[in-house]
PDB file of all heavy atoms in Angstrom:
ATOM      1  N   SER B  29     284.728  84.703 210.808  1.00 49.00           N
ATOM      2  CA  SER B  29     285.110  84.490 209.422  1.00 49.00           C
ATOM      3  C   SER B  29     284.009  85.009 208.497  1.00 49.00           C
ATOM      4  O   SER B  29     284.279  85.545 207.436  1.00 49.00           O
ATOM      5  CB  SER B  29     285.392  83.021 209.159  1.00 49.00           C
ATOM      6  OG  SER B  29     284.198  82.276 209.221  1.00 49.00           O
ATOM      7  N   LEU B  47     275.884  87.162 194.758  1.00 91.00           N
ATOM      8  CA  LEU B  47     277.040  86.643 195.476  1.00 91.00           C
ATOM      9  C   LEU B  47     276.576  85.598 196.459  1.00 91.00           C
ATOM     10  O   LEU B  47     275.412  85.576 196.855  1.00 91.00           O
ATOM     11  CB  LEU B  47     277.711  87.744 196.298  1.00 91.00           C
ATOM     12  CG  LEU B  47     278.148  88.992 195.565  1.00 91.00           C
ATOM     13  CD1 LEU B  47     278.370  90.103 196.561  1.00 91.00           C
ATOM     14  CD2 LEU B  47     279.417  88.704 194.830  1.00 91.00           C
ATOM     15  N   PRO B  52     284.404  78.490 205.390  1.00 80.00           N
ATOM     16  CA  PRO B  52     285.092  79.587 206.061  1.00 80.00           C
ATOM     17  C   PRO B  52     285.902  80.486 205.132  1.00 80.00           C
ATOM     18  O   PRO B  52     286.225  81.589 205.540  1.00 80.00           O
ATOM     19  CB  PRO B  52     286.027  78.838 206.999  1.00 80.00           C
ATOM     20  CG  PRO B  52     286.353  77.588 206.258  1.00 80.00           C
ATOM     21  CD  PRO B  52     285.108  77.206 205.530  1.00 80.00           C
ATOM     22  N   ILE B  59     279.059  85.317 187.681  1.00 91.00           N
ATOM     23  CA  ILE B  59     279.514  86.320 186.708  1.00 91.00           C
ATOM     24  C   ILE B  59     278.997  86.049 185.314  1.00 91.00           C
ATOM     25  O   ILE B  59     279.290  86.820 184.390  1.00 91.00           O
ATOM     26  CB  ILE B  59     281.060  86.397 186.679  1.00 91.00           C
ATOM     27  CG1 ILE B  59     281.647  85.024 186.424  1.00 91.00           C
ATOM     28  CG2 ILE B  59     281.587  86.963 187.967  1.00 91.00           C
ATOM     29  CD1 ILE B  59     283.131  85.042 186.168  1.00 91.00           C
ATOM     30  N   LEU B  63     279.289  89.249 182.236  1.00 85.00           N
ATOM     31  CA  LEU B  63     280.535  89.183 181.450  1.00 85.00           C
ATOM     32  C   LEU B  63     280.550  90.236 180.355  1.00 85.00           C
ATOM     33  O   LEU B  63     281.565  90.868 180.089  1.00 85.00           O
ATOM     34  CB  LEU B  63     280.691  87.794 180.831  1.00 85.00           C
ATOM     35  CG  LEU B  63     281.288  86.746 181.753  1.00 85.00           C
ATOM     36  CD1 LEU B  63     281.490  85.453 180.999  1.00 85.00           C
ATOM     37  CD2 LEU B  63     282.603  87.235 182.328  1.00 85.00           C
ATOM     38  N   GLY B  68     284.203  90.745 178.857  1.00 84.00           N
ATOM     39  CA  GLY B  68     284.868  89.449 178.805  1.00 84.00           C
ATOM     40  C   GLY B  68     285.453  89.034 180.137  1.00 84.00           C
ATOM     41  O   GLY B  68     285.647  89.838 181.039  1.00 84.00           O
ATOM     42  N   LEU B  77     291.406  90.989 190.393  1.00 90.00           N
ATOM     43  CA  LEU B  77     292.755  90.831 190.939  1.00 90.00           C
ATOM     44  C   LEU B  77     293.328  92.174 191.375  1.00 90.00           C
ATOM     45  O   LEU B  77     293.961  92.273 192.429  1.00 90.00           O
ATOM     46  CB  LEU B  77     293.660  90.186 189.890  1.00 90.00           C
ATOM     47  CG  LEU B  77     293.420  88.683 189.700  1.00 90.00           C
ATOM     48  CD1 LEU B  77     294.180  88.171 188.493  1.00 90.00           C
ATOM     49  CD2 LEU B  77     293.841  87.913 190.947  1.00 90.00           C
ATOM     50  N   ALA B  92     284.018  78.274 187.114  1.00 92.00           N
ATOM     51  CA  ALA B  92     283.468  77.050 186.542  1.00 92.00           C
ATOM     52  C   ALA B  92     281.958  77.222 186.473  1.00 92.00           C
ATOM     53  O   ALA B  92     281.379  78.038 187.192  1.00 92.00           O
ATOM     54  CB  ALA B  92     283.833  75.849 187.404  1.00 92.00           C
ATOM     55  N   CYS B 104     292.318  74.115 195.139  1.00 86.00           N
ATOM     56  CA  CYS B 104     293.353  73.136 194.838  1.00 86.00           C
ATOM     57  C   CYS B 104     294.226  73.495 193.652  1.00 86.00           C
ATOM     58  O   CYS B 104     295.288  72.904 193.466  1.00 86.00           O
ATOM     59  CB  CYS B 104     292.731  71.769 194.544  1.00 86.00           C
ATOM     60  SG  CYS B 104     291.604  71.265 195.818  1.00 86.00           S
ATOM     61  N   ASP B 148     288.587  58.863 189.560  1.00 88.00           N
ATOM     62  CA  ASP B 148     288.525  57.468 190.029  1.00 88.00           C
ATOM     63  C   ASP B 148     287.224  57.237 190.783  1.00 88.00           C
ATOM     64  O   ASP B 148     286.548  56.225 190.606  1.00 88.00           O
ATOM     65  CB  ASP B 148     289.711  57.177 190.958  1.00 88.00           C
ATOM     66  CG  ASP B 148     291.033  57.280 190.217  1.00 88.00           C
ATOM     67  OD1 ASP B 148     290.994  57.223 188.964  1.00 88.00           O
ATOM     68  OD2 ASP B 148     292.071  57.436 190.880  1.00 88.00           O
ATOM     69  N   ARG B 150     284.418  58.688 190.545  1.00 87.00           N
ATOM     70  CA  ARG B 150     283.229  58.731 189.701  1.00 87.00           C
ATOM     71  C   ARG B 150     283.059  57.427 188.934  1.00 87.00           C
ATOM     72  O   ARG B 150     281.950  57.085 188.496  1.00 87.00           O
ATOM     73  CB  ARG B 150     283.351  59.880 188.694  1.00 87.00           C
ATOM     74  CG  ARG B 150     283.256  61.222 189.372  1.00 87.00           C
ATOM     75  CD  ARG B 150     282.031  61.947 188.979  1.00 87.00           C
ATOM     76  NE  ARG B 150     281.946  62.093 187.539  1.00 87.00           N
ATOM     77  CZ  ARG B 150     280.820  62.343 186.900  1.00 87.00           C
ATOM     78  NH1 ARG B 150     279.706  62.456 187.567  1.00 87.00           N
ATOM     79  NH2 ARG B 150     280.812  62.479 185.580  1.00 87.00           N
ATOM     80  N   ALA B 158     276.955  55.404 197.391  1.00 87.00           N
ATOM     81  CA  ALA B 158     276.070  56.151 198.267  1.00 87.00           C
ATOM     82  C   ALA B 158     275.862  55.421 199.572  1.00 87.00           C
ATOM     83  O   ALA B 158     275.810  56.022 200.641  1.00 87.00           O
ATOM     84  CB  ALA B 158     274.722  56.400 197.579  1.00 87.00           C
ATOM     85  N   GLU B 175     275.593  67.796 187.894  1.00 89.00           N
ATOM     86  CA  GLU B 175     274.569  66.791 187.605  1.00 89.00           C
ATOM     87  C   GLU B 175     273.411  66.880 188.600  1.00 89.00           C
ATOM     88  O   GLU B 175     272.424  66.174 188.451  1.00 89.00           O
ATOM     89  CB  GLU B 175     275.195  65.401 187.647  1.00 89.00           C
ATOM     90  CG  GLU B 175     276.129  65.166 186.473  1.00 89.00           C
ATOM     91  CD  GLU B 175     277.108  64.031 186.709  1.00 89.00           C
ATOM     92  OE1 GLU B 175     277.197  63.553 187.855  1.00 89.00           O
ATOM     93  OE2 GLU B 175     277.791  63.653 185.742  1.00 89.00           O
ATOM     94  N   LEU B 206     295.804 104.998 205.702  1.00 86.00           N
ATOM     95  CA  LEU B 206     295.189 105.015 204.376  1.00 86.00           C
ATOM     96  C   LEU B 206     295.135 103.616 203.778  1.00 86.00           C
ATOM     97  O   LEU B 206     294.127 103.197 203.212  1.00 86.00           O
ATOM     98  CB  LEU B 206     295.987 105.950 203.472  1.00 86.00           C
ATOM     99  CG  LEU B 206     295.366 106.190 202.106  1.00 86.00           C
ATOM    100  CD1 LEU B 206     294.067 106.937 202.251  1.00 86.00           C
ATOM    101  CD2 LEU B 206     296.318 106.948 201.221  1.00 86.00           C
ATOM    102  N   THR B 213     286.897 101.456 202.234  1.00 90.00           N
ATOM    103  CA  THR B 213     286.340 102.261 201.140  1.00 90.00           C
ATOM    104  C   THR B 213     285.970 101.359 199.964  1.00 90.00           C
ATOM    105  O   THR B 213     284.967 101.604 199.296  1.00 90.00           O
ATOM    106  CB  THR B 213     287.334 103.348 200.693  1.00 90.00           C
ATOM    107  OG1 THR B 213     288.579 102.743 200.446  1.00 90.00           O
ATOM    108  CG2 THR B 213     287.470 104.413 201.736  1.00 90.00           C
ATOM    109  N   ALA B 221     277.380 100.171 194.882  1.00 87.00           N
ATOM    110  CA  ALA B 221     277.099  99.718 193.515  1.00 87.00           C
ATOM    111  C   ALA B 221     275.953  98.718 193.536  1.00 87.00           C
ATOM    112  O   ALA B 221     275.061  98.752 192.687  1.00 87.00           O
ATOM    113  CB  ALA B 221     278.351  99.108 192.897  1.00 87.00           C
ATOM    114  N   ALA B 305     284.486 114.853 186.397  1.00 83.00           N
ATOM    115  CA  ALA B 305     285.902 115.102 186.705  1.00 83.00           C
ATOM    116  C   ALA B 305     286.047 116.408 187.463  1.00 83.00           C
ATOM    117  O   ALA B 305     286.854 116.520 188.377  1.00 83.00           O
ATOM    118  CB  ALA B 305     286.718 115.147 185.410  1.00 83.00           C
ATOM    119  N   ALA B 307     283.761 117.768 189.423  1.00 86.00           N
ATOM    120  CA  ALA B 307     283.270 117.579 190.793  1.00 86.00           C
ATOM    121  C   ALA B 307     284.337 116.894 191.632  1.00 86.00           C
ATOM    122  O   ALA B 307     284.568 117.252 192.789  1.00 86.00           O
ATOM    123  CB  ALA B 307     281.984 116.764 190.774  1.00 86.00           C
ATOM    124  N   GLY B 344     276.128 123.087 195.114  1.00 53.00           N
ATOM    125  CA  GLY B 344     275.836 124.051 194.069  1.00 53.00           C
ATOM    126  C   GLY B 344     274.734 123.668 193.114  1.00 53.00           C
ATOM    127  O   GLY B 344     274.959 123.470 191.930  1.00 53.00           O
ATOM    128  N   ALA B 354     269.292 144.194 184.461  1.00 56.00           N
ATOM    129  CA  ALA B 354     269.082 144.962 183.243  1.00 56.00           C
ATOM    130  C   ALA B 354     270.432 145.364 182.671  1.00 56.00           C
ATOM    131  O   ALA B 354     271.428 145.431 183.397  1.00 56.00           O
ATOM    132  CB  ALA B 354     268.246 146.200 183.561  1.00 56.00           C
ATOM    133  N   LEU B 363     286.549 143.390 191.380  1.00 93.00           N
ATOM    134  CA  LEU B 363     285.950 144.351 192.289  1.00 93.00           C
ATOM    135  C   LEU B 363     286.747 144.297 193.585  1.00 93.00           C
ATOM    136  O   LEU B 363     287.035 143.215 194.094  1.00 93.00           O
ATOM    137  CB  LEU B 363     284.485 143.973 192.545  1.00 93.00           C
ATOM    138  CG  LEU B 363     283.634 145.054 193.185  1.00 93.00           C
ATOM    139  CD1 LEU B 363     283.337 146.138 192.156  1.00 93.00           C
ATOM    140  CD2 LEU B 363     282.326 144.469 193.702  1.00 93.00           C
ATOM    141  N   VAL B 386     286.807 159.076 181.998  1.00 89.00           N
ATOM    142  CA  VAL B 386     286.595 158.945 180.560  1.00 89.00           C
ATOM    143  C   VAL B 386     285.169 158.526 180.216  1.00 89.00           C
ATOM    144  O   VAL B 386     284.851 158.314 179.069  1.00 89.00           O
ATOM    145  CB  VAL B 386     287.594 157.939 179.927  1.00 89.00           C
ATOM    146  CG1 VAL B 386     288.986 158.521 179.936  1.00 89.00           C
ATOM    147  CG2 VAL B 386     287.550 156.620 180.643  1.00 89.00           C
ATOM    148  N   THR B 417     294.102 155.741 184.738  1.00 91.00           N
ATOM    149  CA  THR B 417     295.183 156.156 185.620  1.00 91.00           C
ATOM    150  C   THR B 417     296.314 156.704 184.758  1.00 91.00           C
ATOM    151  O   THR B 417     296.326 156.507 183.538  1.00 91.00           O
ATOM    152  CB  THR B 417     295.705 154.963 186.436  1.00 91.00           C
ATOM    153  OG1 THR B 417     296.289 154.046 185.535  1.00 91.00           O
ATOM    154  CG2 THR B 417     294.586 154.289 187.195  1.00 91.00           C
ATOM    155  N   LEU B 437     288.463 154.078 194.758  1.00 94.00           N
ATOM    156  CA  LEU B 437     288.707 153.125 193.667  1.00 94.00           C
ATOM    157  C   LEU B 437     287.962 151.835 194.013  1.00 94.00           C
ATOM    158  O   LEU B 437     288.097 151.305 195.113  1.00 94.00           O
ATOM    159  CB  LEU B 437     290.210 152.839 193.558  1.00 94.00           C
ATOM    160  CG  LEU B 437     290.617 151.700 192.625  1.00 94.00           C
ATOM    161  CD1 LEU B 437     290.338 152.083 191.185  1.00 94.00           C
ATOM    162  CD2 LEU B 437     292.090 151.367 192.802  1.00 94.00           C
TER     163      LEU B 437
END
Side-chain angles (χ1 to χ4, degrees):
Chain B
S29 69
L47 304 162
I59 54 171
L63 277 184
L77 285 170
C104 308
D148 296 342
R150 291 247 304 160
E175 290 161 350
L206 187 66
T213 51
L363 195 73
V386 290
T417 65
L437 170 68

